[in-house]
Amino acid sequence: MSDERGGRDTALSGPGAAAADGIGGRSLVGRAARGAAWSGVSTIVLRLGGLVVGIVLARLLAPEQFGVYAVALTVQGILITVADLGLSADLIRSDEPERIAPTVATLGLTAGTLTAAATAASSMGLASLLDSPQAGPAIAVLSLTLLLAGGTVVPFAMLQRRFQQRELFFVGVADFVVSTTVTLLLVALGFGVMGLAIGRVAAQVVSSALQFLLARVVPRFSIDRTVVKGVLAFGLPIAAANLLSWALLNVDNIVLARVAGATALGYYVLAFNISSWPMSALSQVVRSIALPFFSRSQGGTHAFAVVAAVAWAGALPAGTVLAALSFPLIDVLYGERWLPGAPVLAALGLYGSLRVAFDISAGYLYSQGRSRPVLWIQIVWLVALVAAMVAATQAYGIQGAGWAHVVVAVVVILPAYLIALKLTGVKLGDLARMAWLPTAATIPAVAAAVVATLFISAPVGALLVGGSAALVVYAALIWPWLRKQLRLLRSGGARERAEV
């Protein structure tokens, strides 16, 4: 299911609302911290598990098979955002979730059903359009996930609303176990790409059932015309922004499939997935708590600045060190035949760090009831990226595609988000003052990793020494600053307890 969830401009506050969600008198920061901790555990465990499975599949499947599945997953990933329609927004922030839940459930299920049917019917045409007709059957199978995603809008939103990241962790573990078991079994039996698609559907069935069970939500369907307009008025821009966000994450796959072919796409997808490790891990934690936290926090723009700086302190070194160690990392984990994807990491590592900053900014804007600026930023982003991607890929291949992401992000999107944040009252000077030390501390950490790759020829040694050296250098420089920022967040929670 898509993790791109938005929010509505109806703040949840006061003891009555808290009691309705079963969260009692716990402090907001305490609930958010517990949620973030469980989200972090979930992300680390599942990412490590996914890494192991990815290594196994990389040795079982050829690069062109990875490329075919990437095309099918691209279509599914883009369309699954439509099945949500941004409907979870009202449930996460509304002060009357029980009232609007049946309407949201009905709209979500309807959208999911229509999207799934349309995707299945047009699967072969979509695959041919992307110059990968072999992906057609996989797209048809994956269309079932759109129906399931539309039907689970309510339980997913309620789990997010209550900061129930522990329960979502259990859902994620079940999803991973089922997906891995079914996929590896079918691939071993010779199903190839279809094994990956069937495994994803089987996992979605199990995770959907668990969401209803753990959220203690009984499916209820009806339409309340008095709330439909409000739900859709805020939700549709978020759905459009999410759709564009997924398009942004996958437009490179589409361009590469058309320009460079499935084999080159396979190398690129592997590199992109590796670069996404820190981005996905940190973004998942941020997304799981950002909307409910910023919606209810009394810290205002200062709380955003602190959270953004702490997230940047994790994202920037993770992405850049990953890029610096790209060659030994791919050699050790995936094998020498995948090394053509290593140069792409030099660009995509930095891009992954920027994506975390953009996710935090979007979450804050949603919490302030400003979904439309995010939508416009995504539109500009998509247009600029498509133009840059086509030109760069034709000229420089998959490496050009990677650097196109970075150039567009730095030149176009970063200024756009800074302007949108400034219009909400965020002081850009505060952001700069908080972010400069993590940025400066990353430079010697990356240098330590690069030196290791230059002087140690053995891939395993370069990876272990370079990674350890970068971690030690960065931790020594950043730890006092990080402790100070965490104290600021806790003091914000004390103010929140006093004011609620």
Side-chain angles (χ1 to χ4, degrees):
M1 180 176 295
S2 170
D3 290 321
E4 303 282 344
R5 303 280 179 167
R8 184 176 178 270
D9 58 339
T10 304
L12 175 67
S13 60
D21 280 331
I23 52 183
R26 303 174 190 171
S27 76
L28 175 62
V29 170
R31 296 195 305 272
R34 278 185 288 272
W38 272 105
S39 182
V41 170
S42 173
T43 301
I44 292 171
V45 171
L46 296 179
R47 290 289 165 188
L48 287 175
L51 168 62
V52 174
V53 174
I55 293 171
V56 174
L57 289 175
R59 297 180 182 276
L60 291 176
L61 299 175
E64 56 267 25
Q65 289 178 299
F66 256 83
V68 170
Y69 183 63
V71 170
L73 203 60
T74 294
V75 174
Q76 183 258 4
I78 291 174
L79 293 178
I80 204 168
T81 60
V82 179
D84 179 270
L85 286 182
L87 296 170
S88 56
D90 264 3
L91 288 178
I92 293 176
R93 297 196 61 201
S94 174
D95 54 1
E96 297 180 300
E98 295 300 327
R99 179 189 172 204
I100 68 173
T103 299
V104 168
T106 303
L107 294 173
L109 184 60
T110 301
T113 302
L114 294 176
T115 307
T119 303
S122 60
S123 58
M124 296 305 298
L126 289 170
S128 298
L129 182 65
L130 297 175
D131 202 25
S132 185
Q134 308 95 315
I139 292 174
V141 171
L142 287 171
S143 68
L144 294 173
T145 63
L146 306 176
L147 170 63
L148 296 168
T152 54
V153 171
V154 172
F156 182 85
M158 296 304 288
L159 289 170
Q160 290 276 28
R161 173 186 174 87
R162 300 166 184 160
F163 297 100
Q164 290 182 278
Q165 296 302 317
R166 181 181 63 178
E167 286 76 7
L168 286 171
F169 168 64
F170 296 144
V171 172
V173 169
D175 184 292
F176 173 76
V177 170
V178 173
S179 176
T180 300
T181 302
V182 175
T183 296
L184 292 180
L185 176 62
L186 293 180
V187 169
L189 292 174
F191 279 70
V193 173
M194 283 299 292
L196 289 144
I198 295 171
R200 177 87 296 280
V201 173
Q204 188 95 21
V205 170
V206 173
S207 65
S208 296
L210 277 178
Q211 286 179 53
F212 277 103
L213 179 65
L214 296 176
R216 299 181 180 179
V217 169
V218 177
R220 293 184 296 133
F221 302 97
S222 64
I223 292 291
D224 183 345
R225 295 183 180 181
T226 63
V227 304
V228 169
K229 182 178 180 181
V231 170
L232 293 179
F234 194 86
L236 288 178
I238 293 175
N242 290 342
L243 178 61
L244 289 169
S245 179
W246 270 104
L248 286 166
L249 287 174
N250 292 282
V251 68
D252 44 4
N253 292 353
I254 297 172
V255 172
L256 284 167
R258 297 285 300 181
V259 175
T263 300
L265 176 61
Y267 291 125
Y268 179 86
V269 167
L270 183 77
F272 193 95
N273 288 343
I274 296 172
S275 72
S276 297
W277 292 345
M279 178 187 79
S280 299
L282 290 166
S283 290
Q284 176 61 29
V285 174
V286 168
R287 284 195 298 264
S288 68
I289 66 165
L291 179 59
F293 176 75
F294 288 139
S295 299
R296 310 175 199 182
S297 173
Q298 302 293 326
T301 60
H302 180 70
F304 165 74
V306 174
V307 172
V310 171
W312 180 247
L316 182 61
T320 52
V321 171
L322 198 63
L325 299 174
S326 58
F327 276 92
L329 178 66
I330 289 182
D331 195 355
V332 170
L333 296 183
Y334 296 97
E336 188 175 348
R337 67 170 177 165
W338 290 97
L339 282 177
V344 185
L345 276 180
L348 292 181
L350 179 57
Y351 172 67
S353 302
L354 292 168
R355 284 283 307 187
V356 174
F358 298 156
D359 277 349
I360 298 172
S361 301
Y364 181 76
L365 291 170
Y366 284 150
S367 74
Q368 303 303 302
R370 296 176 179 264
S371 59
R372 294 185 186 276
V374 179
L375 173 59
W376 283 112
I377 290 174
Q378 300 284 16
I379 292 173
V380 172
W381 196 346
L382 182 61
V383 172
L385 185 60
V386 168
M389 190 69 62
V390 171
T393 301
Q394 290 178 336
Y396 304 105
I398 58 176
Q399 293 185 50
W403 284 105
H405 276 296
V406 178
V407 171
V408 172
V410 173
V411 175
V412 180
I413 305 309
L414 180 59
Y417 266 116
L418 291 177
I419 292 171
L421 291 169
K422 183 176 178 61
L423 292 176
T424 67
V426 173
K427 297 179 180 179
L428 301 185
D430 287 348
L431 277 177
R433 281 190 293 273
M434 290 186 176
W436 80 267
L437 181 59
T439 304
T442 298
I443 297 174
V446 172
V450 171
V451 168
T453 63
L454 293 176
F455 288 93
I456 301 176
S457 58
V460 174
L463 184 61
L464 293 177
V465 174
S468 300
L471 177 62
V472 170
V473 170
Y474 186 74
L477 295 173
I478 205 69
W479 179 243
W481 175 92
L482 181 60
R483 291 182 61 185
K484 178 182 178 181
Q485 303 311 314
L486 294 177
R487 282 198 301 269
L488 286 174
L489 280 176
R490 284 195 293 269
S491 66
R495 288 196 301 271
E496 184 268 338
R497 283 195 297 271
E499 295 177 16
V500 170

